[in-house]
Structure formats: structure tokens, C-alpha cells
Amino acid sequence: MYAMKMVEADRDAALHASFTQEERLATGRHVHLQNNVLTFGCLVEGALDPGRLRHAFLTLQQRHESLRLVFPEQPNGTGGTAELRPPQDTSFHVEQVTSDAPDAGLRQAQALVAEAAAAPFDLATGPLVRLLCVRITPVLHLVGCVVDHIVVDGESCTVMAEELFRLYSADGPDATNLPSVRTQFPDFAHSERLHLQGRTLDTLLAYWRRKLDGVGAIPRSHLRDLATDDGRRPAPERRLLVRRAVIEEPRTTRLRDATRLRRATLTAVFAAALKDVVRQRRLSLGMTVEQAGDVAVMGSISNRHRRDIRHCVGYFATPCVLRTDLRDAPPFTEAVRRETGTLLGTLRHQEVPHALMTRELDPERYGVRHRDDPAAVPGYVNFDVSEAGAAWAFTDGALRVTMIRIPRDEVPRGGVRLLVRDEGARVVVELRTDASRFGPRWAEAFLADYMSLVETFTEQPVP
């Protein structure tokens, strides 16, 4: 109904930043947060030629314009324009670990990539992507990529990993059988601005005006840990606390079966459980039934419903608000059904980036997540599901490449983040909190209640 027409941007004129990029540039250009950096690692088993990898890295940049974008500062301070630069290899580095033991060497290699992620990017001059080739043994390497979130999203990282090693293994760029890049990100950003205006924008915003009414573009969680919160502002030293739970076979199969039989999705089940635990926590803090049961959390959607951008690298994804009415304390299966409706409504209206809806409907919160003062950010809950089980792997002769995580101290901006990783045979639930606001006892009790709800859904008989 609101399909955006793709219009090619004029490369001889000033390129527009997207609405999402513009929010970061206008409110947090010089603020370095780990939340604004994406990393991924590729564990390479077999002999690896760093020179050949360097060439593949340059070719990857040539293929995807988003990896060559920079954002010069403007005299008026708006920063809404972008420029394309030629491919660069100044951010390609070859490193060597000191340990002879593969396990210890891998941990050192991951730490080197995390260290590279801690160094700020200069958005005005770039480059905004770094590639580290870390030698662990002669036949074991970690290739770590660090890229500023302003030019890529999570799905782009998988595209980059796959294409980097296809380019590495091919005799030439034309021998890779890579899908054609039908749309570059500058074209998407240009088309977005042409599309989201006038009646189209008004119609799309009408949905979000209803969904945000009373909660705003960054909904407050209204949660606190009585053991660490005495009513004062959060302590300035933000610290990451992580607690994990794992669903393994045969419970994984039972959970998938229960979800399928109720015509739901795992995302709906996990989101509904999160909201019901938030509701219960709010009640225990003295909120009324009406206040506690109107639950909204921050989520993320890929915004890749267009076929022509599925293989593109760029910042297409957008935060979103997921709001569900649980004021009548419904049975959990009913909460899942309502959450399914919430998710479907969000997907139907994902064309409006969160930055634009915030600017238009809740301007006081525009850019607050990017600002330098953590206390200015309202406490909120962030929810994400990733399908790690579908992560890319590559094999070519004696070379085998698998994607692995790079552990980093990424403290949730809103204080609480629930991340669910679907790894196929198992599902990992990770609760991340800012330990200065939500301590170990709070996190462990919260996660225990959460997993109990998920287990209840799994064990309930299907009508």
C-alpha cells in the first residue's frame, strides 16, 4: 500500500543521510558509545593469505557504497549530508597473538578485536570500517570486523562476512557468483526522503501516533532495583551485568511445537513473556493495574521487506516501539496472541524509521539515546531476537570459515536488554543490565520468572 519507489540518487550532487543517520549526526556525532559499534568475527581454519584478504576487503568496499560513506560536518551543524570516498586499506591490520595454545590464542584475538571496537570512529573523515586479521596459529586465524553502526545494521554483517570470503576465494571479482547489488544505500536514503512526506507520511504516522500516545517514542520501563536504587540518579559508572539461560533439547523441540500449534512465533512468545514479567514487577513496585499493564518496550525491525535490498549493506534496520495491553492480566497464551498482533502491526508500518516518528511525534526525545549524558536517557527495556542458527559459514577446499561472537562490554542504554539467540538446537536467553541500576539479585530473579513463563507456555495443552 505504501511501497516506496526506488529513485537513484545523483552522485554528482550532495548525498542525503537517511533519517536514522541524521538523528545520530545531529545529536551525538562526537559521542562514542559501544552501542554504536557493530562487530563480528570469522574463525578461519586453514592457511590464510593476508594480502589476498586485503584485496578482498577493498573489493567489498567497492561493491557496497555504504562502507565508503563519511559524513562531513556542516557549518549549520545539521550534518544531514554524506560523501562517498574511494576504498581504503588503512584500516586493515594484521596482528599476532602471543599464546601458543589455540583456546587462549582465540581469547586474545577476540580481545584485540574488542579493543579495536573501543577506539572512536571519526564520522567526518572515516574510514568507518576496520578489518583485523589475527594469526593464532599457522592454520587458525580470527578475522574481526569493526564497523560503525551508522553505515550498517546487523543483517549487513552477515552479508559482509559471506561476500568477503567469496571474494577472497575467487580468482577475480567476476568469478564469485555474488548476487547483483540492485540498490545502494545512498539510493535508499534518497528514496526514503522522497517517499516519506505529504499524505503518505501523515497516514503512516497516524498509526504510530496511536501506538505512542501516553508512552512516547522511548517508553519508560518504570522498573527499579530496590537494592541499588535509592531514588537518586543512576551512578555515572555504567557497568555491564550478564545473566544467561539456555533452552536445550528436548525442550527446544517442545517449545517450537507449542508455538507452531498455536500459530505463533518464537518472537511473540519471548516478547510476551518479557512484557508479562515487566507487568508483574511494576505491580510489586506499587503501580496500579492500569499503569502496570500498559507495557511498551523498544525493539528492532530489519526493514528489509523489499527484495532489491536483501543483499545490500547499509543501515536499513530501525528501532521500534512494541506496545501491548495486558491490563486485564490475561492468560499467557492470550498474551502471546496479542503480542502477535503487535508484531504484525509493527511490520506493516516499518517504513517510518524511529528517528522520523520521534522527530514528528515526540521531539523532546529526539536523539536522547545518542547524547553524552547517560542520565538524560529514560530507563527503558530493549528486546531483540536473532537467528544465530542461520548464521553464515563458508567452506572452500582446505579453508573453513564460521562466524563467532566478539564479547564486548556493551551496557544497555536503557538499563535492561533481553537478547534471545535462536541457535537451532538450542535457544540462548541473555539478560543484560546496567549493574549500577539493576544488580545481580534483581537480574537473576527477573530471568528466573521469565524462563518460568516460557516453560509454562511449552507445557500447556493445546486446545
Side-chain angles (χ1 to χ4, degrees), residues 33-36 235-242 374 380 408-417 432-438:
L33 298 171
Q34 283 293 291
N35 314 78
N36 290 332
E237 62 279 2
R238 301 169 72 238
R239 305 187 312 278
L240 175 65
L241 174 70
V242 180
Y380 63 90
R408 293 185 296 133
D409 289 335
E410 185 181 345
V411 182
R413 273 178 280 198
V416 178
R417 182 187 184 199
R432 293 174 160 239
T433 69
D434 179 351
S436 68
R437 300 162 64 180
F438 299 95

Side-chain angles (χ1 to χ4, degrees), residues 197-365:
Q197 55 182 311
R199 179 177 294 181
T200 298
L201 179 59
D202 290 342
T203 303
L204 288 165
L205 284 178
Y207 172 85
W208 289 110
R209 184 174 284 107
R210 293 192 301 272
K211 296 300 287 187
L212 303 184
D213 183 36
V215 298
I218 304 178
R220 292 185 179 275
S221 66
H222 298 291
L223 297 175
R224 68 180 188 274
D225 180 356
L226 296 178
T228 60
D229 179 29
D230 58 4
R232 297 178 299 179
R233 282 182 149 194
E237 62 279 2
R238 301 169 72 238
R239 305 187 312 278
L240 175 65
L241 174 70
V242 180
R243 291 294 183 267
R244 295 184 183 90
V246 181
I247 304 173
E248 298 187 274
E249 295 290 8
R251 292 167 58 216
T252 313
T253 297
R254 293 202 303 268
L255 174 60
R256 295 187 193 281
D257 289 344
T259 302
R260 185 181 65 255
L261 289 171
R262 291 184 173 87
R263 299 186 178 183
T265 63
L266 286 181
T267 301
V269 172
F270 289 124
L274 173 63
K275 291 180 178 179
D276 202 39
V277 175
V278 169
R279 179 187 66 85
Q280 295 175 36
R281 284 292 183 280
R282 289 175 170 180
L283 289 172
S284 69
L285 292 171
M287 293 183 69
T288 67
V289 171
E290 291 288 314
Q291 294 169 330
D294 185 2
V295 188
V297 304
M298 296 292 294
S300 180
I301 43 180
S302 66
N303 198 22
R304 287 179 180 258
H305 54 289
R306 297 180 61 95
R307 196 173 285 181
D308 52 357
I309 64 173
R310 289 180 184 171
H311 301 288
C312 296
V313 169
Y315 193 0
F316 300 99
T318 179
C320 63
V321 175
L322 302 172
R323 185 183 190 183
T324 306
D325 185 356
L326 302 178
R327 287 175 290 185
D328 58 342
F332 187 59
T333 51
E334 170 61 17
V336 171
R337 188 193 67 80
R338 295 181 191 180
E339 194 61 34
T340 300
T342 295
L343 294 169
L344 288 175
T346 302
L347 291 173
R348 292 191 189 105
H349 297 84
Q350 63 184 303
E351 288 181 283
V352 184
H354 184 262
L356 180 57
M357 73 172 71
T358 305
R359 192 188 75 185
E360 297 296 316
L361 303 179
D362 194 3
E364 289 187 1
R365 288 186 170 97

